[in-house]
Amino acid sequence: MNSKLSNRVNNMSTSATLAMAAKARELREEGKDIIGLSLGEPDFTVPEFVKEAAIQAVKDDYHSYTPVDGYGDLKKAIILKFKRDNDLEYTPSQIVVSTGAKQSLANLAQVILNEGDEVLLPAPYWVSYSDISKVSGGIPVEIPTSIESDFKVTPEALEAAITPKTKMMIYSSPCNPSGSVYSKEELRALADVLVKYPNIIVVSDEIYEHINYVGDHVSMAAFEDMYDRTVTVNGVSKAYSMTGWRIGYIGGPEYIARACNKMQGQVTSGANCIAQRATIAALENPPSKIHYMVEAFKGRRKLILDLISNIPGIKANEPDGAFYVFPDVSFYFGKTLNGVTINSAGDFALYLLEHANVATVTGEAFGDPNCIRISYAASEEDIKEAMKRIKEALA
Ligand code: PMP
Ligand code: GLU
């Protein structure tokens, strides 16, 4: 707390994923052999055809400010992608390109929420949804789920959480952190509730769309009666291993896209020009070009689940997508290991960092205090070594 700073930032939490990654980096610099399974970041390099497009853009002298909401031909590529992969029809004025999906989400919160508006967050939810909402005046309303229901929210629980102040709902499928993927039937059942409340805007975060092991991705906006009130968020960070290139985008109702454009015009002036050119190449190519990464993640998912099943007291379900496992570790609460008493998932994650040299993230940051998140976007070697160390530290 620093009284010279705004209440806004004083009341904000630090991103737990980024904080843990920074801590792991710091410990590594001190010479500790830390295995980082905290950050959701593919360990692959950027596909060659994307790199080539970026190099070509530099050679072609792309250097100036771009249109605030993205290059016209990038928007065209996004429109074709939405049609090809999601059966969604958008026009250019419904698309906004931003500096990562994180900025897309921040824009949405800024342009949709007023002070005191409630934001529904089926929990566990991605760590930044809560603070992005709060900093825009919103009040996060968590809807708890459990490992038994595969961390999916039911229509009954959704309806019970709705109040006259509900303005927005944000969810991800495939979900970060649980890996759960909503089926068409499950999403339809949620849509059946939402259509009764036309003031609620739904933000469907589909950034893990391609990292799906059941192969049945459904966009909320593809339901005709939800199209006008759903904003689809996506980006190239995860599927194309382009986390540092910082490109995300939305498709949604025109009035919302225009508002995001206006907001962004005062805040960033638009996304990086070279990364936008490269994103055209990424999206114009068929998703089959990146399936080698998805196949690798699938193998690692099996590996990590097999290894976790041999660690007593850790209960994990099989995630259908993304590259995280979200095991329940509450068995260890109240227990003392190597002189350390563990009372929470935060204590547990810290214990793993200090006694196993493995970085994970506490589930508290994602709205589930019984779990921790382990990213398996890491090499098989690191996954094996990390699980061995965790098993030994808990023995
Ligand atoms: N949504 C989810 C669910 C995520 O896991 C992430 C993590 N990067 C983002 C949005 C933001 O992605 P980016 O800003 O890198 O596009
Ligand atoms: N989305 C990733 C994660 O959840 C990257 C870190 C972040 O942006 O918070 O780990």
Side-chain angles (χ1 to χ4, degrees), residues 100-102 105 126 129 172 176 205 207-208 237-238 246 324:
K102 199 179 249 180
L105 291 160
W126 181 47
Y129 294 164
S172 61
N176 177 3
D205 182 346
I207 199 161
Y208 294 97
S237 282
K238 311 294 165 170
R246 312 303 306 123
Y324 309 102

Side-chain angles (χ1 to χ4, degrees), residues 353-368:
L353 183 65
E354 286 172 353
H355 291 264
N357 283 349
V358 177
T360 58
V361 188
T362 172
E364 283 147 352
F366 302 92
D368 191 323

Side-chain angles (χ1 to χ4, degrees), residues 53-100:
I55 292 166
Q56 196 56 47
V58 174
K59 287 187 179 158
D60 289 346
D61 277 330
Y62 279 92
H63 67 103
S64 5
Y65 289 125
T66 78
V68 170
D69 50 352
Y71 284 123
D73 49 353
L74 171 55
K75 286 188 175 193
K76 209 162 138 198
I78 291 170
I79 288 168
L80 290 173
K81 174 258 167 304
F82 273 134
K83 182 70 196 150
R84 177 191 67 203
D85 302 341
N86 312 107
D87 203 19
L88 290 174
E89 304 267 1
Y90 290 118
T91 59
S93 54
Q94 293 180 279
I95 306 289
V96 180
V97 179
S98 298
T99 302

